Amino acid sequence: MTGAATGTTTETAAGRPWRPAGHVVCVGETMAALVPDPPEPLERAARLGLSVAGAESNVAMYLADHGVPVSWVSALGDDPLGRRVRATVAAAGVDVSHVRTDPHHPTGLLVKSPASTAGTRVHYYRSGSAASALGPDLLDEEPVRSAALLHLTGITPALSPSCRELVTKALTTAVDARSHAVSFDVNHRPALWPDGTAATVLRRLADRADIVFVGLDEAQGLWGEDLTVTDVRHLLPHPRVLVVKDGARAATAVTDHGVYTVPALRTAVVEPVGAGDAFAAGFLAGLLRSRTTAQALRLGHITAVSALRVTGDHGPLPAPARIERLLTLPDPEWEALAQTQGGTPPCPGYAPDGTVH
C-alpha cells in the first residue's frame, strides 16, 4: 500500500504506530572541511573555505533546526580545527558538552573537489584521528545512557576496530535490553572498506536497528544490482522502520503498518553532499514529533532540499509556516509540486558519498 500524505489509512487500522520520543544522541566523526569557493575543481581553485563535515553531526544540526533536543558525541583533537568543529556544531543548537578532547590524536580533515560532470569528489585525511579512537565505553556514559534515540551510521564501524566494537555493541544488544531505540544510516563509503567486508558487516548491523536508512542504489551496490524495495525489506526484515531512498524520484518507508512512498521535491542543486543526512534528520524529526509516516518522508525531502541548495552540508530550513503547509498539502498538490517546483531539473540522489548519480 502507498500511504497518503496524512498516512492515516493503515496507521489507525491496528493502533498507533511505534514512535521514539525524547532526547536524541548522534555518535560519529566530524572533520574540518576545505571547500573551493566558489565551487570548482580543486586543482583550479584559487580559494578554499573552511567548514565542518560529518554525517552524524549533520543529522544533529538539522534535528536541532527542527526543535528536537539533540546531543552530538565524538572526539576531537586538541587543535584549532577541533575547536572550530566544536564551535560550529554548538552554534547550530546541538549539545556538544560530551565531546571528548583527545590530546594524542588530531582532528580529521576532508577536502572537496566539485566537478561539473563527475560530481563532487571528497578526499579524506582522517587516519589516526581522535574520533577513530572512540570505543564502546561511551555507550555506558551520558548522554547515551539516558537517550531516547541513538543515531549511528555505517561510516563509524569502518574507522577502526574500536569504532566497530562501539557500533556492534550498540546494535547487538537485545532490543528488550536497550534503554533507547537505534537509528542506523547504512552510509556506505567504499573507500573505507578496502577489505571487501562492507556488504556482510553493514547488512548485519542494519538488520539489528530500529530505524534504517539506505539508498536503493546503495543497496544494489552492496547486495545485488537488481534489488527492489521489497527485496531490500527481505534482506533487512527486522527494523521497525526501513526507509529506502530512490534517488531523485521518491523515498519509501516500510513499517508494520504499511508501505508509504512519497515523491522527492525538485530543486536546483548547488552541491549534493549532506543531503542524505538532512533527509534522515527530517524523517526522524517527523517521527519524534508524532507525524504520520508519510509526513515524516515529506519532512525528509524538505530538509534534504535545504542541504542541496548550499555549498556546505548545512543549509537553512524553510520558515515553519511553509513547512507546515507543505506537510499538510493534499497528495495531488504535493505530487504536482514534486514535478514542477521552480521549473528546475530533478535533484540528484541523496548519495551517501556526495557524488551525483
Side-chain angles (χ1 to χ4, degrees):
M1 172 180 289
T2 298
T6 57
T8 57
T9 304
T10 57
E11 290 194 339
T12 58
R16 187 159 185 80
W18 171 82
R19 293 284 187 273
H23 192 87
V24 180
V25 175
C26 300
V27 175
E29 181 173 37
T30 293
M31 295 168 284
L34 294 175
V35 185
D37 182 18
E40 62 180 329
L42 187 60
E43 57 267 27
R44 298 204 304 266
R47 184 174 62 181
L48 298 176
L50 178 62
S51 61
V52 306
E56 299 82 4
S57 61
N58 286 342
V59 172
M61 289 190 285
Y62 277 114
L63 284 171
D65 290 343
H66 283 296
V68 175
V70 58
S71 297
W72 170 59
V73 175
S74 188
L76 297 165
D78 187 11
D79 49 42
L81 293 180
R83 290 187 283 277
R84 177 69 170 261
V85 169
R86 186 190 299 267
T88 300
V89 178
V94 177
D95 171 31
V96 299
S97 61
H98 297 276
V99 175
R100 301 173 181 178
T101 299
D102 185 336
H104 306 295
H105 299 85
T107 302
L109 175 70
L110 68 81
V111 183
K112 293 182 183 179
S113 182
S116 58
T117 57
T120 297
R121 296 289 177 251
V122 182
H123 306 274
Y124 296 100
Y125 304 89
R126 72 201 313 175
S127 179
S129 69
S132 71
L134 291 172
D137 58 296
L138 70 77
L139 298 173
D140 300 320
E141 302 172 358
E142 292 295 346
V144 177
R145 192 169 54 191
S146 59
L149 177 66
L150 173 64
H151 180 71
L152 302 164
T153 79
I155 298 170
T156 303
L159 296 181
S160 69
S162 64
C163 282
R164 187 171 300 190
E165 288 177 23
L166 187 167
V167 178
T168 299
K169 180 180 178 180
L171 285 165
T172 55
T173 301
V175 173
D176 293 343
R178 292 202 298 245
S179 60
H180 48 254
V182 181
S183 167
F184 184 76
D185 191 333
V186 171
N187 231 328
H188 177 220
R189 304 289 176 90
L192 295 177
W193 298 87
D195 59 359
T197 62
T200 300
V201 173
L202 291 175
R203 180 182 173 189
R204 183 179 72 245
L205 293 172
D207 198 38
R208 293 180 174 272
D210 296 285
I211 304 166
V212 171
F213 299 93
V214 65
L216 182 58
D217 57 348
E218 182 180 33
Q220 291 167 341
L222 283 167
W223 304 312
E225 61 183 15
D226 296 323
L227 291 180
T228 65
V229 172
T230 301
D231 296 329
V232 177
R233 184 53 163 175
H234 288 159
L235 289 170
L236 303 174
H238 294 110
R240 299 173 187 257
V241 181
L242 170 65
V243 179
V244 181
K245 300 166 288 181
D246 188 9
R249 289 168 288 280
T252 298
V254 184
T255 76
D256 290 340
H257 289 260
V259 179
Y260 304 85
T261 297
V262 173
L265 295 172
R266 294 188 175 204
T267 189
V269 177
V270 174
E271 217 278 333
V273 175
D277 306 325
F279 179 93
F283 183 85
L284 292 174
L287 292 190
L288 290 157
R289 297 301 191 196
S290 296
R291 294 287 186 172
T292 65
T293 304
Q295 287 177 327
L297 288 169
R298 286 191 182 188
L299 194 55
H301 289 312
I302 293 165
T303 311
V305 166
S306 296
L308 290 165
R309 289 177 170 172
V310 296
T311 56
D313 289 5
H314 182 224
L317 294 177
R322 175 162 174 76
I323 291 176
E324 184 63 28
R325 187 176 71 83
L326 290 170
L327 292 179
T328 55
L329 281 178
D331 275 3
E333 293 185 32
W334 174 273
E335 291 166 6
L337 187 66
Q339 290 296 318
T340 62
Q341 182 177 2
T344 57
C347 59
Y350 309 144
D353 61 357
T355 57
V356 179
H357 294 271

